[in-house]
């Protein structure tokens, strides 16, 4: 099953009164445990990558593994970039393969939150990417991610939420109704369900719960019945993994790194399985897939011939363009190469991978692209091919756009 559009995924959950887990991951052990459990439970799933948890790691190194796991999963998967603090981080996440993003400026004033989130929405939607907004402040008292969200809880206002969604055009809203990031202070955490109902009645869009670890079954059910379609969970998984590692070391302090990790994936799977059944996503994979658009990149191919006097000039252009085109939101990869033989009709090739078909318009109207293409047109034979393709699905060629310049 393909990586799918998270808007379709959460719309199905919202309309059918269940929630999909946004499970946080920081390593391959977490990634494999989440995917394996989702397949076992036949559940759609969201891979949640939180920017604050990657301060000590290169986010770009893990994303190829995350994307590959999503594309090869037997259940619908979406990849969400959580708690980004900068606009530049959002663009990087989209270009690396995330198909949903969230800018967390919840600690800012209401007008600033609207302005900055609106800017993200404009860029992300031009790339086909879903956007989660956050209004109110979900603080934290302990836990790995809570350290980045210290402070008192600020509850989401239904009146502000309506204005916020209308102005920012976000797809989902993370609300603050009493949970915290990290570990809940007790099993009897009080949640403001009346507030949540008012927000849901006003907005009628999927709502998101941050700080989803450690609530009781009745609370989850009430949250879901009042519009929560995505529940984030990381701290509990982190605690489970840490406990298994500590136990392994206690049994023998001579254990190596791999031996210390023994049993981590299995323990994570047990907890994830529990939540998939508790939140109602288990067994929904097939019906969700029918409702979801596949998420796949498209590729622009430009091939042309070059007069000998322009070869050195184009070599310089190639190096510059690789850098500038890669900064355009939605541009994933830039490849250029010369034909191995000079005898062919075409000597120069460009292959530019875009995150989604929706990127095409914003990409081709971007100043960096226009400067690049104008230089290519000036320095090459007028007879060139400029074609954009999507991957073949179910034996059908889904060519999106073709332009042959005579």
């Amino acid at each position: 099953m393909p990586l799918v559009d998270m808007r379709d995924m959460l719309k199905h959950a919202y309309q059918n009164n269940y929630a999909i887990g946004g499970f946080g991951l920081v390593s391959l052990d977490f990634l494999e445990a989440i995917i394996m459990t989702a397949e076992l439970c036949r559940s759609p799933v969201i891979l949640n990558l939180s920017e604050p948890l990657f301060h000590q790691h290169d986010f770009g190194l893990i994303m190829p593994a995350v994307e590959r796991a999503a594309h090869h999963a037997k259940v619908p998967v979406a990849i969400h970039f959580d708690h980004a603090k900068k606009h530049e981080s959002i663009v990087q996440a989209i270009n690396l393969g995330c198909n949903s993003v969230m800018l967390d400026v919840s600690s800012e004033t209401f007008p600033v939150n609207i302005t900055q989130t609106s800017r993200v929405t404009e860029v992300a939607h031009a790339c086909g990417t879903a956007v989660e907004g956050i209004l109110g402040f979900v603080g934290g008292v302990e836990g790995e991610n809570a350290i980045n969200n210290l402070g008192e809880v600020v509850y989401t206002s239904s009146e502000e939420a309506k204005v916020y969604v209308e102005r920012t055009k976000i797809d989902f809203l993370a609300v603050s109704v009493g949970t915290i990031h990290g570990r809940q202070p007790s099993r009897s955490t009080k949640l403001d369900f009346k507030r949540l109902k008012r927000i849901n009645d006003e907005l009628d869009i999927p709502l998101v719960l941050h700080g989803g670890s450690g609530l009781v079954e009745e609370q989850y059910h009430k949250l879901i019945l009042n519009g929560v379609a995505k529940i984030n969970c990381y701290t509990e998984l982190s605690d489970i993994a840490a406990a298994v590692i500590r136990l392994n070391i206690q049994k023998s302090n001579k254990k190596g790194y791999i031996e210390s990790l023994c049993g981590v994936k299995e323990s994570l799977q047990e907890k994830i399985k529990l939540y998939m059944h508790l939140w109602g996503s288990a067994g929904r994979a097939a019906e969700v897939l029918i409702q979801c658009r596949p998420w796949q990149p498209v590729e622009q191919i430009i091939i042309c011939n070059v007069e000998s006097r322009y070869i050195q000039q184009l070599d310089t252009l190639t190096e510059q363009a690789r850098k500038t085109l890669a900064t355009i939101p939605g541009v994933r990869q830039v490849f250029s190469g010369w034909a191995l033989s000079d005898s062919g009709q075409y000597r120069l090739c460009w292959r530019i991978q875009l995150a989604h078909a929706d990127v095409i318009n914003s990409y081709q109207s971007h100043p960096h692209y226009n400067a690049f293409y104008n230089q290519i047109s000036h320095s090459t034979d007028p007879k060139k091919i400029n074609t954009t393709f999507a991957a073949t699905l179910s034996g059908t060629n889904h060519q999106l756009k073709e332009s042959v310049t005579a």
Side-chain angles (χ1 to χ4, degrees):
M1 291 186 185
L3 180 67
V4 301
D5 194 313
M6 200 166 97
R7 284 166 292 207
D8 298 333
M9 180 189 280
L10 289 191
K11 180 180 179 181
H12 187 273
Y14 182 71
Q15 292 177 339
N16 291 276
N17 294 318
Y18 69 94
I20 298 171
F23 295 103
L25 66 94
V26 290
S27 70
L28 294 183
D29 289 310
F30 279 70
L31 175 61
E32 291 177 355
I34 295 166
I35 293 294
M36 290 169 66
T37 310
E39 291 180 339
L40 177 67
C41 295
R42 304 301 301 159
S43 171
V45 71
I46 297 164
L47 301 174
N48 237 33
L49 296 109
S50 182
E51 185 177 43
L53 295 177
F54 281 88
H55 282 163
Q56 297 180 358
H57 306 284
D58 186 341
F59 177 66
L61 288 179
I62 197 170
M63 270 306 299
V66 172
E67 190 177 21
R68 179 176 174 82
H71 277 296
H72 286 79
K74 297 175 183 177
V75 295
V77 180
I79 304 173
H80 178 71
F81 187 62
D82 214 26
H83 291 292
K85 294 299 181 183
K86 298 182 298 183
H87 182 86
E88 294 76 15
S89 298
I90 294 289
V91 173
Q92 181 193 35
I94 293 171
N95 290 1
L96 286 173
C98 294
N99 65 345
S100 175
V101 294
M102 189 265 269
L103 179 73
D104 185 355
V105 285
S106 56
S107 60
E108 300 286 351
T109 64
F110 185 59
V112 170
N113 191 342
I114 287 178
T115 300
Q116 294 192 17
T117 302
S118 297
R119 183 184 174 212
V120 162
T121 305
E122 183 178 2
V123 170
H125 282 178
C127 297
T129 306
V131 179
E132 176 183 322
I134 182 167
L135 188 61
F137 186 71
V138 181
V141 292
E142 59 177 329
E144 290 179 44
N145 203 28
I147 197 68
N148 301 291
N149 297 274
L150 297 177
E152 295 295 324
V153 172
V154 177
Y155 287 82
T156 304
S157 157
S158 59
E159 293 79 14
E160 286 189 344
K162 184 176 182 180
V163 174
Y164 181 77
V165 171
E166 288 175 350
R167 293 187 183 177
T168 62
K169 311 299 182 185
I170 58 170
D171 302 290
F172 332 111
L173 179 66
V175 295
S176 175
V177 292
T179 58
I180 61 170
H181 288 101
R183 303 173 187 91
Q184 303 300 327
S186 73
R187 300 294 289 183
S188 58
T189 301
K190 292 184 179 180
L191 303 180
D192 193 338
F193 291 109
K194 290 183 179 179
R195 178 184 298 271
L196 180 63
K197 185 179 187 306
R198 288 197 300 271
I199 294 170
N200 185 41
D201 290 344
E202 284 285 356
L203 304 185
D204 196 30
I205 64 171
L207 303 178
V208 179
L209 185 75
H210 286 235
S213 298
L215 301 177
V216 297
E217 183 173 353
E218 182 183 1
Q219 289 175 316
Y220 287 126
H221 288 167
K222 285 185 178 180
L223 288 165
I224 291 167
L225 288 175
N226 285 287
V228 171
K230 173 176 176 263
I231 300 177
N232 286 5
C233 177
Y234 170 72
T235 299
E236 215 166 356
L237 301 183
S238 174
D239 286 350
I240 288 170
V244 171
I245 293 170
R246 281 195 297 267
L247 183 60
N248 287 336
I249 294 173
Q250 288 172 4
K251 289 179 179 178
S252 172
N253 59 12
K254 294 183 180 180
K255 287 184 181 295
Y257 174 73
I258 294 177
E259 292 173 308
S260 299
L261 294 177
C262 183
V264 167
K265 279 191 291 188
E266 292 76 9
S267 297
L268 291 175
Q269 284 182 269
E270 186 177 342
K271 177 57 69 173
I272 295 167
K273 178 181 178 181
L274 172 66
Y275 279 138
M276 287 180 170
H277 284 278
L278 190 60
W279 298 338
S281 65
R284 296 276 193 169
E287 60 186 289
V288 170
L289 183 64
I290 293 173
Q291 301 297 321
C292 290
R293 291 162 291 180
W295 182 272
Q296 58 179 343
V298 298
E299 296 196 352
Q300 179 188 26
I301 306 295
I302 302 173
I303 54 176
C304 49
N305 210 346
V306 184
E307 294 183 31
S308 299
R309 61 188 173 126
Y310 287 123
I311 289 178
Q312 186 172 359
Q313 177 182 332
L314 282 169
D315 275 336
T316 302
L317 169 63
T318 295
E319 186 61 31
Q320 293 174 342
R322 281 201 193 105
K323 296 176 181 178
T324 57
L325 292 180
T327 65
I328 300 175
V331 173
R332 301 211 48 201
Q333 295 179 358
V334 180
F335 167 86
S336 64
W338 294 93
L340 296 177
S341 171
D342 292 342
S343 60
Q345 181 180 359
Y346 298 106
R347 298 181 64 188
L348 179 61
C349 170
W350 287 83
R351 180 178 61 81
I352 302 163
Q353 187 182 79
L354 307 177
H356 189 268
D358 286 357
V359 180
I360 295 172
N361 289 335
S362 60
Y363 158 71
Q364 291 187 343
S365 62
H366 196 281
H368 288 343
Y369 173 77
N370 288 327
F372 156 73
Y373 197 74
N374 287 339
Q375 287 181 283
I376 283 285
S377 299
H378 174 72
S379 308
T380 62
D381 190 306
K383 292 184 179 180
K384 58 178 165 290
I385 295 177
N386 179 4
T387 310
T388 307
F389 290 99
T392 299
L393 294 176
S394 304
T396 303
N397 190 335
H398 293 262
Q399 181 176 322
L400 298 181
K401 182 177 180 181
E402 179 173 318
S403 171
V404 180
T405 307

